[in-house]
Amino acid sequence: MNPIENLYDEIDTYKKDGSVRLVYDKIGQQVFILKRRDLHKRQLYLTLKKIQSRFLPEIYRLIEFDGYLYVVEESINGKTLAEIFEYEGNFSENLATKILLQVCECLKDLHRRKIVHRDLKPSNIMLTRDHQIKLI
């Protein structure tokens, strides 16, 4: 029995390999991001699940199935910095400063827990409508 198919309906695929998908929770009737990760990242995601940070998507559930770890996390209503640069251009100096300060605060929180984000780039930083960053 596949718990992923039983619990979630796929809405969209964000990565061609299917490792990141937008899904609908059939029971909770909410939209989430579902990521397929290697099992060796279990401890990392258990630690991230415990972190309450306004700069990180909330992790709701971890499911081990078929040799993988499936991470169910908050779907962020916003755009990545890469999308904003591509379609809207540059930021004002004030907004750029606000974004950078939030990224630094988030990284400080992660480093305090001995977590290093190894893929920090504009496509992994989302900006909400109220100019709040989320590091993905």
Side-chain angles (χ1 to χ4, degrees), residues 11 36 125:
I11 297 171
R36 185 184 67 229
I125 301 170

Side-chain angles (χ1 to χ4, degrees), residues 52-57 74 102 105 109 132-135:
Q52 300 295 313
S53 172
R54 64 188 175 119
F55 304 117
L56 299 172
E74 172 185 9
Q102 289 180 67
E105 191 173 335
D109 288 345
Q132 171 74 43
I133 68 111
K134 292 281 187 169
L135 189 58

Side-chain angles (χ1 to χ4, degrees), residues 78-89 122-123 125-127:
K79 297 178 184 175
T80 67
L81 296 186
E83 291 169 328
I84 294 169
F85 291 146
E86 183 176 345
Y87 298 109
E88 300 174 24
S123 60
I125 301 170
M126 293 196 76
L127 189 64

Side-chain angles (χ1 to χ4, degrees), residues 37-51 59 62 69 71 110 113-118:
R37 299 292 185 237
D38 292 327
L39 273 177
H40 74 273
K41 293 186 178 183
R42 183 177 187 272
Q43 190 57 51
L44 168 65
Y45 281 99
L46 284 170
T47 301
L48 287 171
K49 189 175 187 308
K50 294 176 188 174
I51 297 174
I59 296 175
L62 300 173
L69 177 69
V71 181
L110 291 173
R113 292 172 172 88
K114 309 256 188 271
I115 297 172
V116 176
H117 192 297
R118 298 182 333 182

Side-chain angles (χ1 to χ4, degrees), residues 61-125:
R61 179 182 290 159
L62 300 173
I63 302 168
E64 291 182 30
F65 174 71
D66 204 23
Y68 290 100
L69 177 69
Y70 291 87
V71 181
V72 179
E73 68 181 39
E74 172 185 9
S75 176
I76 308 301
N77 188 5
K79 297 178 184 175
T80 67
L81 296 186
E83 291 169 328
I84 294 169
F85 291 146
E86 183 176 345
Y87 298 109
E88 300 174 24
N90 294 327
F91 300 110
S92 69
E93 186 176 331
N94 277 346
L95 182 55
T97 300
K98 184 176 181 176
I99 290 168
L100 287 172
L101 289 173
Q102 289 180 67
V103 169
C104 289
E105 191 173 335
C106 180
L107 292 174
K108 185 172 100 176
D109 288 345
L110 291 173
H111 292 172
R112 195 173 326 140
R113 292 172 172 88
K114 309 256 188 271
I115 297 172
V116 176
H117 192 297
R118 298 182 333 182
D119 198 18
L120 191 60
K121 58 188 177 185
S123 60
N124 285 337
I125 301 170

Side-chain angles (χ1 to χ4, degrees), residues 7-9 23-32 61 72:
L7 294 170
Y8 304 101
D9 284 328
V23 295
Y24 178 75
D25 182 330
K26 297 175 189 179
I27 298 168
Q29 299 180 338
Q30 295 182 56
V31 175
F32 294 104
R61 179 182 290 159
V72 179

